[in-house]
Amino acid sequence: MTTPTHSLPPIPGRTLTRWSAWGLALLLPGILFTSIAALSTERGSRCVTNGECPQVPGALVYGSLLTAVVAGLAALAWPRRTWTGARTWAVVLQWTAQALLMLLILSYGA
């Protein structure tokens, strides 16, 4: 009779590390893609040629970028086995800030 082999339980927080790393890796391509999409519209091209850009507060754009980067790095640097709840909220904050940043960039072309 053979004993069943059980796989080891996953290390707590490994999924959070993956989500955080994917978020940081997709940040620059996301900014590039949304910038191209925003500038390809009629209003976006008028923003480039005539300077008729919508008034989106720059502090909001830079703040959401900084928040996404800092929260992502904090979730990556935090030890996996401790404070899993705080790491979860850091990853949620990272992805929320990234989504806000992409929407703000897209609002330049809307």
Side-chain angles (χ1 to χ4, degrees):
M1 175 179 220
T2 61
T3 58
T5 58
H6 298 287
S7 62
L8 295 173
I11 297 173
R14 182 170 290 196
T15 304
L16 293 174
T17 302
R18 287 185 185 143
W19 275 97
S20 179
W22 272 107
L24 288 174
L26 292 174
L27 183 62
L28 288 179
I31 290 172
L32 181 66
F33 176 73
T34 54
S35 298
I36 291 170
L39 294 176
S40 67
T41 63
E42 180 183 342
R43 192 168 179 187
S45 61
R46 273 190 278 138
C47 176
V48 172
T49 57
N50 301 335
E52 300 172 6
C53 300
Q55 297 299 321
V56 177
L60 190 57
V61 173
Y62 295 125
S64 61
L65 174 64
L66 184 67
T67 302
V69 170
V70 169
L73 290 176
L76 280 178
W78 215 311
R80 285 184 182 170
R81 296 189 185 270
T82 59
W83 291 75
T84 307
R87 286 187 70 220
T88 302
W89 283 107
V91 172
V92 168
L93 178 64
Q94 173 195 5
W95 279 89
T96 303
Q98 281 184 237
L100 176 64
L101 176 64
M102 302 307 160
L103 290 173
L104 288 172
I105 293 172
L106 284 174
S107 72
Y108 280 105

